[in-house]
């Protein structure tokens, strides 16, 4: 599905600065893939068995419930285009003052105020024409009004919105959808593109110029997402947080992106407003709203792009208790994601088969 742009791509100044698949990047990726292969060997039997029977059950239920004929070989070919010949997406930069307008949303739910203000200052200081982007803090804790108003004297493109207590449904997805409705009421109406940041993710200054070209050049792209990096990982990384949070999670999705079924993360993304409106905003029937929204976009004919670029820097949990709670939240979110795929439309169930097969192939 294509979308209309306010600015045509050939009117923009966009240049390619290569990919991260250079000698250093290949070395890093090779080490990561080797590490993944070793760890996969340890848990291969248990996880492969579970995923095998899960996939078999999925395919059988799809064929029985929806009269679909699915060839596992075709699913494998579409989802496993990994390996050294798979192409990383190019690094693009849009330069000059002629750029698409972007609404930047920052999601806040009562975290430490200093963390929020750091992210707000970084987002408002992006290397982008100030009249071409707005930053809106979406406060689900109703506690940051005064600090944000104080910053507005410094950043005139900064806005604030908080949901009423009775409207606080659907967790983060509900907050995002509220933000989409709020920015539509601002002067100038909704902007062409929408970007999202978690409260603890500080973006690089050029992050908007890095993400926007992918949506401008390919009008079938509904959402583009970047890697997540972290700046507070302890020395020697005793809990393996760098690999768990910073590398393996995104590397797995990046490899799935080679097959056209990668799922963007919940922060550091940029989406087409038209694409979001087409699917009715962010999916609210799962706490894994980021993954499920990507699935809904693919169902509607859009594509999702993942960039192997370091465009945001955040925080990992600083205690063992916090680390285990984070893993628990991620596990719960993934179970919620697959449950939503199973109970959703027939097309969602079709996508479930691709995702399960891809996860199976990533491990196996």
């Amino acid at each position: 599905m294509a979308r209309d742009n306010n600015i045509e791509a050939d009117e923009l100044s966009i240049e390619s600065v290569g990919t991260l698949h250079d000698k250093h990047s290949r070395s890093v990726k090779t080490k990561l893939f080797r590490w993944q292969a070793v760890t996969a060997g340890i848990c291969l039997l248990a996880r492969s068995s579970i995923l095998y029977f899960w996939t078999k059950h999925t395919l059988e239920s799809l064929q029985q419930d929806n009269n679909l004929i699915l060839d596992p070989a075709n699913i494998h070919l579409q989802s496993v285009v990994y390996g050294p010949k798979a192409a990383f997406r190019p690094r693009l930069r849009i330069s000059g003052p002629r750029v698409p307008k972007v609404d930047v949303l920052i999601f806040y739910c009562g975290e430490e105020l200093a963390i929020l203000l750091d992210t707000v200052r970084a987002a408002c200081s992006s290397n982008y024409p100030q009249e071409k982007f707005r930053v809106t803090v979406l406060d689900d804790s109703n506690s940051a009004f005064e600090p944000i108003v104080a910053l507005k004297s410094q950043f005139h493109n900064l806005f604030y919105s908080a949901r009423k207590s009775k409207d606080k449904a659907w967790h983060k997805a509900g907050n995002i959808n509220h933000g989409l409705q709020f920015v539509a009421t601002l002067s100038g109406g909704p902007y062409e593109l929408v970007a999202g940041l978690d409260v603890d993710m500080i973006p690089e200054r050029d992050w908007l110029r890095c993400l926007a070209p992918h949506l401008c050049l390919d009008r079938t792209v509904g959402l583009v997402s970047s890697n997540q990096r972290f700046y507070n990982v302890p020395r020697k990384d005793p809990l393996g947080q760098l690999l768990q949070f910073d590398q393996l999670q995104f590397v797995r999705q990046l490899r799935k992106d080679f097959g056209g079924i990668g799922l963007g993360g919940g922060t550091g993304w940029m989406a087409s407003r038209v694409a979001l409106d087409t699917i009715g905003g962010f999916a609210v029937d799962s706490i894994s709203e980021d993954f499920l929204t990507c699935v809904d976009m693919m169902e509607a004919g859009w594509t999702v792009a993942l960039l192997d670029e370091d465009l945001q820097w955040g925080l990992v949990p600083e205690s063992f208790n916090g680390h285990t709670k984070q893993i628990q939240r991620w596990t719960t979110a993934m179970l919620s994601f697959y449950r939503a795929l199973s109970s959703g439309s027939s097309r969602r169930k079709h996508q479930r088969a691709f995702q399960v097969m891809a996860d199976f192939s990533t491990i196996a």
Side-chain angles (χ1 to χ4, degrees):
M1 177 178 293
R3 62 184 171 86
D4 294 328
N5 275 330
N6 295 330
I7 301 178
E8 294 296 330
D10 55 7
E11 298 176 351
L12 302 173
S13 177
I14 298 176
E15 61 177 342
S16 173
V17 292
T19 68
L20 292 184
H21 207 190
D22 53 18
K23 182 177 180 181
H24 173 71
S25 178
R26 286 196 300 270
S27 175
V28 173
K29 294 295 184 300
T30 300
K31 291 179 180 179
L32 286 173
F33 292 158
R34 287 175 178 172
W35 189 93
Q36 190 177 28
V38 172
T39 56
I42 299 175
C43 61
L44 178 61
L45 181 60
R47 298 190 65 173
S48 295
S49 299
I50 294 172
L51 284 171
Y52 170 77
F53 288 108
W54 193 358
T55 303
K56 182 179 179 182
H57 172 73
T58 299
L59 296 177
E60 291 175 349
S61 62
L62 284 171
Q63 291 172 343
Q64 292 173 0
D65 298 341
N66 302 289
N67 296 319
L68 295 175
I69 300 177
L70 299 177
D71 184 355
N74 290 335
I75 295 176
H76 185 80
L77 287 175
Q78 292 189 46
S79 63
V80 190
V81 193
Y82 308 148
K85 293 185 179 180
F88 288 84
R89 295 185 184 271
R91 290 193 296 169
L92 302 175
R93 299 293 183 271
I94 184 170
S95 58
R98 189 165 179 77
V99 294
K101 293 183 177 180
V102 184
D103 273 313
V104 178
L105 309 179
I106 298 177
F107 320 120
Y108 179 65
C109 193
E111 293 86 351
E112 187 177 339
L113 187 59
I115 295 176
L116 168 65
L117 297 181
D118 284 345
T119 301
V120 170
R121 291 190 184 97
C124 290
S125 301
S126 298
N127 178 22
Y128 210 75
Q130 192 173 63
E131 68 278 6
K132 293 296 183 72
F133 78 105
R134 301 180 296 210
V135 177
T136 301
V137 175
L138 302 176
D139 181 11
D140 251 4
S141 68
N142 297 81
S143 62
F145 175 74
E146 293 183 1
I148 298 302
V149 170
L151 275 182
K152 190 170 176 61
S153 60
Q154 182 179 354
F155 304 106
H156 301 295
N157 59 341
L158 176 61
F159 298 87
Y160 173 90
S161 181
R163 292 193 289 172
K164 297 180 180 179
S165 298
K166 62 179 181 179
D167 298 329
K168 291 183 180 179
W170 307 117
H171 306 287
K172 183 179 178 180
N175 197 18
I176 297 175
N177 290 334
H178 164 77
L180 294 175
Q181 296 174 2
F182 171 77
V183 296
T185 66
L186 299 177
S187 176
Y191 283 174
E192 178 186 358
L193 303 176
V194 183
L197 286 171
D198 280 351
V199 65
D200 64 328
M201 282 290 172
I202 297 177
E204 294 280 351
R205 292 199 70 234
D206 284 338
W207 73 295
L208 296 177
R209 293 188 179 274
C210 298
L211 296 176
H214 295 272
L215 292 154
C216 294
L217 290 180
D218 185 351
R219 299 186 182 184
T220 67
V221 174
L223 182 144
V224 58
S225 182
S226 64
N227 198 359
Q228 299 179 32
R229 295 285 182 169
F230 301 90
Y231 59 84
N232 69 326
V233 178
R235 187 170 177 265
K236 297 185 178 181
D237 192 10
L239 297 179
Q241 292 172 299
L242 183 62
L243 285 169
Q244 179 67 34
F245 297 144
D246 193 9
Q247 304 289 2
L248 295 185
Q249 292 293 335
F250 190 78
V251 165
R252 180 170 298 164
Q253 292 303 325
L254 186 65
R255 294 174 68 188
K256 289 165 67 174
D257 182 55
F258 295 157
I261 58 170
L263 303 175
T267 178
W269 52 264
M270 182 181 288
S272 159
R273 177 75 195 216
V274 173
L276 288 174
D277 290 344
T278 300
I279 62 174
F282 268 67
V284 298
D285 48 337
S286 169
I287 58 175
S288 186
E289 77 292 325
D290 47 358
F291 284 2
L292 201 58
T293 298
C294 291
V295 167
D296 288 344
M297 280 195 175
M298 289 186 279
E299 290 176 9
W302 302 90
T303 59
V304 175
L306 273 65
L307 306 183
D308 189 19
E309 291 198 60
D310 303 334
L311 301 180
Q312 55 182 332
W313 298 81
L315 298 168
V316 296
E318 297 183 341
S319 67
F320 180 77
N321 184 49
H323 175 72
T324 55
K325 286 184 177 180
Q326 178 69 74
I327 298 299
Q328 183 181 21
R329 283 195 295 268
W330 281 4
T331 303
T332 303
M334 287 308 300
L335 292 175
S336 173
F337 169 65
Y338 280 111
R339 183 169 59 249
L341 289 185
S342 302
S343 60
S345 64
S346 61
R347 291 185 60 84
R348 271 191 180 179
K349 292 181 180 179
H350 186 263
Q351 181 67 215
R352 177 191 175 193
F354 287 105
Q355 294 296 330
V356 172
M357 284 295 294
D359 286 336
F360 172 80
S361 301
T362 301
I363 297 170

